[in-house]
Amino acid sequence: MQRNWFLGDLLNQLLDRPDKRRGKDDKRSIAELCEALLSAEGEVSGFTLASTILDRYQTLDDAGKLDFFVYLNDQLELDAEKLADTARLYANDRSVDLYQKLSESAEPRRQELLRRLNQPSGATQELVAMRVDLLRFLKSDAELKRTDIDFVHLLRSWFNRGFLVLKQISWDTPARVLDKIVAYEAVHQINDLDDLRRRLYPPDRRCFAFFHPSMPDEPLIFVEVALTTEIPGAIETLLSEAREPIEAEQAKVAAFYSISNCQKGLAGISFGNLLIKQVVTELSRELRGLDTFVTLSPIPGLSRWLAGETEHPEHGHTSEAVLAATASAQDVRAMAARYLLLAKREDGMPLDPVARFHLGNGAELHELHADADQSPNGRAQSGGVMVNYLYDLNKTERHHEEFATRATIQASRSVRADSTAALAIKPRENTA
Amino acid sequence: MQRNWFLGDLLNQLLDRPDKRRGKDDKRSIAELCEALLSAEGEVSGFTLASTILDRYQTLDDAGKLDFFVYLNDQLELDAEKLADTARLYANDRSVDLYQKLSESAEPRRQELLRRLNQPSGATQELVAMRVDLLRFLKSDAELKRTDIDFVHLLRSWFNRGFLVLKQISWDTPARVLDKIVAYEAVHQINDLDDLRRRLYPPDRRCFAFFHPSMPDEPLIFVEVALTTEIPGAIETLLSEAREPIEAEQAKVAAFYSISNCQKGLAGISFGNLLIKQVVTELSRELRGLDTFVTLSPIPGLSRWLAGETEHPEHGHTSEAVLAATASAQDVRAMAARYLLLAKREDGMPLDPVARFHLGNGAELHELHADADQSPNGRAQSGGVMVNYLYDLNKTERHHEEFATRATIQASRSVRADSTAALAIKPRENTA
Amino acid sequence: MQRNWFLGDLLNQLLDRPDKRRGKDDKRSIAELCEALLSAEGEVSGFTLASTILDRYQTLDDAGKLDFFVYLNDQLELDAEKLADTARLYANDRSVDLYQKLSESAEPRRQELLRRLNQPSGATQELVAMRVDLLRFLKSDAELKRTDIDFVHLLRSWFNRGFLVLKQISWDTPARVLDKIVAYEAVHQINDLDDLRRRLYPPDRRCFAFFHPSMPDEPLIFVEVALTTEIPGAIETLLSEAREPIEAEQAKVAAFYSISNCQKGLAGISFGNLLIKQVVTELSRELRGLDTFVTLSPIPGLSRWLAGETEHPEHGHTSEAVLAATASAQDVRAMAARYLLLAKREDGMPLDPVARFHLGNGAELHELHADADQSPNGRAQSGGVMVNYLYDLNKTERHHEEFATRATIQASRSVRADSTAALAIKPRENTA
Amino acid sequence: MQRNWFLGDLLNQLLDRPDKRRGKDDKRSIAELCEALLSAEGEVSGFTLASTILDRYQTLDDAGKLDFFVYLNDQLELDAEKLADTARLYANDRSVDLYQKLSESAEPRRQELLRRLNQPSGATQELVAMRVDLLRFLKSDAELKRTDIDFVHLLRSWFNRGFLVLKQISWDTPARVLDKIVAYEAVHQINDLDDLRRRLYPPDRRCFAFFHPSMPDEPLIFVEVALTTEIPGAIETLLSEAREPIEAEQAKVAAFYSISNCQKGLAGISFGNLLIKQVVTELSRELRGLDTFVTLSPIPGLSRWLAGETEHPEHGHTSEAVLAATASAQDVRAMAARYLLLAKREDGMPLDPVARFHLGNGAELHELHADADQSPNGRAQSGGVMVNYLYDLNKTERHHEEFATRATIQASRSVRADSTAALAIKPRENTA
């Protein structure tokens, strides 16, 4: 508890520091300003120049922004000829001087530009927002991907796991941050702050997020947790307004029922694996009665897969029809189990993205539940089936290893039994 | 003031987070552990592997550390042949795929290793400390410089100005941090905490430092400021135990009398320019009566230069002798003025490193003071002369520009007059 | 900014401290527990006993609570005979020993009980809540007022102004506290957090509250402020969803448009005067462009007074009818001005409670606005008229003095003019 | 951890709030100012008046201060005649109105004055300091004790246990607060901050203090704790510079080796009992390996008692001589055991003040150690013997009860054995 003294105040400063964005009257073009920032002028006046450029960027329309990215992509490109020559020389003479030159020529100027832009307060967040624009332009202008590769390179370095901060989100969190949780929830929609209250206020609810010190109001990723006495088998039970909360101390199970990435501009930089493990550690420490850590996860690809499996143009059966037609909960679980265990991508990995994420983290398929998500979306994507992935931190490393190297899927006896159950209504026959 | 709420707590987490350094029983060599961290295993167990490697490193003796750096330098080197080939291909076909390959092959594996090491709490600080070791080995093993180039590349990115936090150091600062100020003071030695009290406690003293959020107890650079009614002309006046402090509100002048870099492991990454400017801004905001911002700076190269100027082996006059022999304060100032204005390096920049720093920041030579630093060190390096550099934020950009491009030195009329004063005792003659 | 370091953490402790409320199995009655707490047992086990009593109290139904207050009122009463005797002795011999005895016998035992109850974390808040119950019982059992006198005596001491903390409420405030603002707003209703957003989020809105360190989630009183360019003349303008906010730096006027006491349990302990003055000071410091501090206040007693003035049983005209019947804005203002200036209580003080509060604080009647509050409540209580009270801190002391001693009401020329304007429609005639 | 958000900031405000102490030009005497503060003027301008009075007080010399206290004592006295009359009336008619009058007349005006003085920031601390002066004057002017009774009455209410905050003091504590620890240490002297480092920095040392929110830099009482593997038997072992610290997790025993009251102005208001118990709770929570909580305490009255026992004018042996002359450690322990168990005041309570404190808290005499405090003071007061008092929270209530009602002293078998050991050198004989 002692360490807070220093830090509490330390960070205030980060936000309060002078950031009078001068330079609005600078008549130079944004490209000229970038050249200035990369020149000697940038050494002394970098702070002001960076502010001016970031402000200017925000005034640009899409055409202007595209121009800016094209400028980065083409004008601030590396000199491949020179790099090739230097690399060739260095291959023959591994001298320090040549390495220095190689190191310099191996990096396009736009990387240094981005670093120098990241000086004023709030700049990191603006650069992340800039990448959101860039990703949009990428769809129509694939060449810009070169610039995106450099964005990712820098952001990966800046958002290094060592700099992330785990933070509990609760009803004691500032409303400004709670607004973000409402906006970013990606799995089970939150309508407004009063709706969010149900997920944060009761004593058997938890929420944790990663933050970066230079973006203190912006969660990077968050996970919502329900503390329960048994492994939950339906999302409605967890989110029901009518439910009676338990005391946190009574809980045996921590159920991760929603995990949402927040920053589109950080796409491709993964935080989820570490978040779940840190939250498991954090909760274990707080609540010694907890002995089971599971998810309650959607199976987003099930209906699509079934539709493919059963695709007979002459009939046009949709997957929803298939799932709806399955008479029993057991049938639905059986199909889901087969999908999760058997449906693979070309590289041998599971077809289901959520499965890939959790199995890749070293979790195991623990239990399937029919009628677990009755929302329109839940019914549409998986006929309402959901699945628990179990996190046992003593086994995640080994499981991950086997999954990564041999694509081995860990599954409980229950899931295995589901997968081998005879189907009362065979989907394929059903569609016939 | 509102923003604190969130941040205060946010940062606690950074320090409190689970950091049980497991893996002490891992039998693999440090190189094998590094390979594991760089492999798929590192994806899931990176946190533990990084902790194990950092812990292992700390147990190594110098021979072991040297082996480790040689491993980084030689085994985790980039493949220059492949890079040359890829660059050549890319020079002819600027495709995104080739750029991706180029981007990957342009970076030696040790960079990714360092990034992956930076996961556990405290890792950043340990990597900075690692570089202190590396710099030591560099003296005898210049080849390791290649690895150092990569260290600098990463540290520059991580210690980007946008991530630094300005913080006031005062008597309300935790003792743990004050210890560091005592230890790192580089200009006018501080003996212990009770000595430090004289520089922090009185109402007319200020101290500011930059911190990085992931090293909250470690100042990166700090500056000590005296608030005065007139531009100070002697360090003793500022540090005297007997002096009567003034109220901060009475101050007209903020005198920066000591600026110290703290982290040897961050050598080559400059923070001083920005620190001074932010402190000027901060103080202007707090104390509206301030109208002058100056340094009271040493002239570390003066004696050495005079010694060189007067070097006649047959006489063996030392510079100290020369300065001691100069009869008058005016003579001393005259020599100092000539040194600062005229003594240049081959590249045309001033010979004096402190002058290069402040003039490079856009400050101007303002006034010279004889008998300003009577300490043995002060007498030895410059015969006791000190100089005020004046910071006028409205002019620093222009001054910097002229200094950077034309090596123009801004000097006040007073300094110019000193430089042209006839010497009562000409050093060269004096030595005859 | 330095001082925060220590305090931030200091207060955490207040809340985190061990408060395992043991003693649930204590079989004694609440009165027996109180006797124990007042006895020697209370010296050592006071913390536990106090927790037990406070917990027990919360389980009581109304009959049980009433019994408890009757017990306090009758059994923990002072010994008036003894007090009279001791006072008589002391009147004749002002010895220290007698004063000590007098001091002890002058205080009923229930005061010491309340002090000893205030030991566990959260106890202060529970005692304030206890008084809410007491005030309810007072209505039917006036004798309990004796106990209430002692509650007030202690609460006044504990909530001494020197212990209160001014705090800005904003969108960075934890949702838990914002919930309280929604609940406690007494003047212009707030529906939910999203409604509150309009009063906190825009840059030209402020809210400040007093807190007590031992009730950190509970505002005691808060004031809502609109920053404007002109003195506002209608509440709708301030609260309209459609309005365009201004930058805080552009503001000339700070308009206090709502002030709400939060704690029924602190009825009779006044915080409002100090709150307004501290907020004026705070805002003056933050925004140097501000030069006018006014309220936009309701006139809650106007309709009632007019009804009284025009009360003719044979007609039964209500005041609303009167105000509705007044043809012009000028007429309405004229009646309001007369009411505020002339309608007095028996003690010579203004009849209107809001007027008494602000004039008592040393403010002056500044301007009247017809059609300023079109809400049903606003129309009902004052026909929609509102009034600005002007706070000029250079004059409040003198104004207060004159108001307190001679009941002098300070009013602007504009209000005076309104008060002497001929009425186009005379209310009395109007009812004929 | 969540709650911090709000509080951290809340308290800053307490310190930062505007406290421009105006009124320096007020020409009235301090008594006139006090009358004004007690009058209607005090209602509105209380903040300024209180500041003026507190500032004025600080400029007074001793004669002026004495006058001020005499004014409080005599002029702001209660009206005993009126009180006696009102009490008599109330004895016959327990009406609410009479109780209100009684309540008002039972309190001298100086109490209200003190409450009204406690408005500006920092006032609480100044009033505590004022009482330090008062206690000094009491020695020569016993009549002022009446005023002191009122000071104590108010301070007891303000420093109610429910408002105190437990805070760990460590090397992360601001130097400003550490200075106070150095100054206030009353048992084993601390020379300076570097000396304090030995008691705070090592991992097996702890220090906790109570604070009041309105005096955040001022500890009220603090206790120093050593974490050890065995019950310590000598203070030198604990404070030795040479000792090798252990990891906190290895500790079995928490030894309270120094407890110091800090505020002379709060004399008579006891915090020690609660402090020890909260620290026991706090440490139990942090370090689950701890199973024993003891003190290592001085026996300040031993030598004096022995001197009395052995007082033979014809010999004039001092107690030191007696203790020095006792040949064996066993003898010394035997005498100490007899002293602690048998030496009583007239009221039957132990003669030794430290014993009264710990036994009164419900601790038990656990073990005696000869040669445990070799400092001059230790040798002088008790011949170097020290004693462990054992705190077993499961027994403290019962022990306290028996001690308070029957003066029963709990002592271990070891201490009882010491007390009955035959003395090799009988003190009385020894002095013959």
Side-chain angles (χ1 to χ4, degrees), chain D residues 200-206 227 243 245-249 286-287:
Chain D
L200 297 184
Y201 194 89
D204 56 356
R205 289 300 179 261
R206 294 288 185 282
L227 304 174
R243 73 180 194 83
I246 62 172
E247 289 303 311
E249 288 71 21
E286 183 200 346
L287 299 167

Side-chain angles (χ1 to χ4, degrees), chain C residues 6-7 9-10 13 15 17 77 85 88 90 99 107 118 146 150 153 160 164-167 216, chain D residues 6-7 9-10 13 15 17 77 85 88 90 99 107 118 146 150 153 160 164-167 216:
Chain C
F6 190 61
L7 273 173
D9 200 32
L10 192 152
Q13 289 310 102
L15 294 168
R17 70 187 171 193
E77 176 64 314
D85 293 347
R88 186 65 60 202
Y90 180 67
Y99 188 70
E107 191 184 86
N118 189 26
R146 298 204 310 272
D150 291 314
H153 182 83
N160 201 288
L164 303 190
V165 180
L166 181 67
K167 176 88 213 73
Chain D
F6 191 59
L7 272 174
D9 200 31
L10 192 152
Q13 289 309 100
L15 295 169
R17 70 185 172 195
E77 175 64 312
D85 293 346
R88 186 64 60 202
Y90 181 66
Y99 188 71
E107 191 183 87
N118 189 26
R146 298 203 310 273
D150 290 315
H153 183 83
N160 200 289
L164 303 191
V165 180
L166 181 68
K167 177 87 211 75

Side-chain angles (χ1 to χ4, degrees), chain A residues 1 3-18 40-48 77-81 83-85 87-88 90-92 94-96 99-100 102-103 106-108 110-111 114-116 118-120 124 142-147 149-150 153-154 156-158 160-169 173-174 176-177 211-214 216-217 273-274 277-278 281-282 285 360-362 396-397 400-401 404, chain B residues 1 3-18 40-48 77-81 83-85 87-88 90-92 94-96 99-100 102-103 106-108 110-111 114-116 118-120 124 142-143 145-147 149-150 153-154 156-158 160-169 173-174 176-177 211-214 216-217 273-274 277-278 281-282 285 360-362 396-397 400-401 404:
Chain A
M1 74 189 181
R3 315 294 295 280
N4 320 10
W5 284 346
F6 190 62
L7 272 175
D9 201 31
L10 191 153
L11 267 249
N12 307 346
Q13 290 308 103
L14 184 141
L15 295 168
D16 289 349
R17 69 185 170 194
E41 185 184 346
E43 296 291 331
V44 150
S45 310
F47 192 89
T48 306
E77 176 63 314
L78 53 69
D79 182 339
E81 301 275 356
L83 174 57
D85 292 346
R88 187 64 60 199
Y90 180 66
N92 296 324
R94 301 198 164 249
S95 77
V96 167
Y99 188 71
Q100 180 74 53
L102 182 61
S103 184
E107 191 183 86
R110 58 186 166 251
Q111 278 203 26
L114 294 177
R115 273 195 295 270
R116 293 193 177 193
N118 189 26
Q119 293 187 54
T124 310
E143 287 302 302
L144 291 175
K145 176 77 180 167
R146 296 202 313 269
T147 291
I149 287 168
D150 291 314
H153 183 82
L154 268 180
R156 210 185 284 275
S157 181
W158 289 345
N160 199 290
R161 289 177 179 186
F163 299 138
L164 303 190
V165 180
L166 181 68
K167 177 87 212 75
Q168 189 174 347
I169 302 293
T173 301
R176 186 180 305 280
V177 176
F211 288 84
H212 187 277
S214 65
D217 287 342
N273 166 26
L274 193 64
K277 290 186 187 168
Q278 283 200 212
T281 308
E282 191 74 32
R285 235 179 359 185
N361 291 341
T396 46
E397 287 190 31
H400 162 77
E401 183 76 19
Chain B
M1 76 187 179
R3 313 295 292 280
N4 320 10
W5 283 345
F6 190 61
L7 273 174
D9 201 31
L10 192 153
L11 267 249
N12 307 347
Q13 289 309 100
L14 185 142
L15 294 168
D16 289 348
R17 70 187 171 193
E41 185 184 346
E43 295 291 330
V44 149
S45 309
F47 192 88
T48 306
E77 175 64 314
L78 52 70
D79 182 339
E81 301 274 357
L83 174 57
D85 292 347
R88 187 64 61 200
Y90 180 67
N92 297 323
R94 302 201 162 246
S95 78
V96 167
Y99 187 71
Q100 179 74 55
L102 182 61
S103 183
E107 193 184 85
R110 58 185 166 253
Q111 279 204 25
L114 293 177
R115 272 195 296 268
R116 292 192 178 192
N118 189 25
Q119 294 187 53
T124 310
E143 287 301 301
K145 178 77 181 167
R146 298 203 311 271
T147 291
I149 287 168
D150 291 314
H153 183 82
L154 269 180
R156 210 184 285 274
S157 182
W158 290 344
N160 200 289
R161 289 177 179 183
F163 300 139
L164 303 190
V165 180
L166 181 68
K167 177 87 212 73
Q168 189 173 347
I169 302 292
T173 301
R176 187 181 304 280
V177 176
F211 288 85
H212 188 277
S214 65
D217 287 343
N273 164 27
L274 193 64
K277 291 186 185 165
Q278 283 200 212
T281 309
E282 191 75 31
R285 235 180 359 186
N361 292 342
T396 47
E397 288 190 31
H400 161 76
E401 182 76 19

Side-chain angles (χ1 to χ4, degrees), chain A residues 177-410:
Chain A
V177 176
L178 296 184
D179 275 355
K180 307 287 169 64
I181 300 293
V182 171
Y184 292 141
E185 162 69 50
V187 185
H188 305 289
Q189 191 186 326
I190 306 172
N191 297 316
D192 56 20
L193 286 178
D194 287 297
D195 194 12
L196 179 62
R197 188 193 310 260
R198 276 188 287 145
R199 308 204 191 180
L200 297 183
Y201 194 89
D204 57 355
R205 290 298 179 263
R206 292 289 185 282
C207 179
F208 292 89
F210 271 142
F211 288 84
H212 187 277
S214 65
M215 291 166 54
D217 287 342
E218 282 289 338
L220 307 182
I221 186 172
F222 64 90
V223 62
E224 295 165 69
V225 188
L227 304 173
T228 59
T229 50
E230 303 198 342
I231 292 179
I235 195 69
E236 280 85 347
T237 324
L238 295 180
L239 297 182
S240 155
E241 288 198 53
R243 73 180 195 82
E244 200 60 36
I246 62 171
E247 288 304 311
E249 288 71 21
Q250 299 173 255
K252 300 284 184 204
V253 177
F256 300 72
Y257 67 91
S258 178
I259 180 160
S260 301
N261 277 295
C262 306
Q263 305 293 329
K264 282 187 193 167
L266 296 177
I269 301 167
S270 165
F271 309 113
N273 166 26
L274 193 64
L275 176 63
I276 292 179
K277 290 186 187 168
Q278 283 200 212
V279 169
V280 168
T281 308
E282 191 74 32
L283 287 172
S284 302
R285 235 179 359 185
E286 183 200 346
L287 299 167
R288 308 203 171 230
L290 290 179
D291 53 23
T292 306
F293 297 88
V294 294
T295 71
L296 180 61
S297 299
I299 310 176
L302 177 56
S303 296
R304 210 163 33 235
W305 175 73
L306 282 172
E309 287 287 292
T310 61
E311 219 162 50
H312 288 249
E314 66 273 24
H315 296 117
H317 278 115
T318 69
S319 56
E320 266 185 88
V322 174
L323 283 167
T326 58
S328 70
Q330 188 186 324
D331 277 357
V332 174
R333 291 203 311 272
M335 285 187 291
R338 288 169 196 193
Y339 166 64
L340 291 170
L341 289 170
L342 305 175
K344 300 290 169 71
R345 296 197 309 198
E346 289 193 0
D347 63 0
M349 287 292 156
L351 196 58
D352 193 79
V354 174
R356 278 203 306 281
F357 173 72
H358 290 299
L359 296 172
N361 291 341
E364 71 169 60
L365 278 170
H366 185 69
E367 198 173 349
L368 287 156
H369 303 279
D371 301 324
D373 180 0
Q374 311 265 18
S375 73
N377 182 44
R379 294 230 68 87
Q381 71 186 0
S382 65
V385 200
M386 298 187 82
V387 60
N388 305 124
Y389 295 95
L390 180 75
Y391 277 81
D392 177 345
L393 290 196
N394 294 319
K395 297 184 183 167
T396 46
E397 287 190 31
R398 185 162 48 76
H399 287 176
H400 162 77
E401 183 76 19
E402 293 173 7
F403 180 77
T405 55
R406 291 188 298 278
T408 310
I409 294 176
Q410 305 294 331

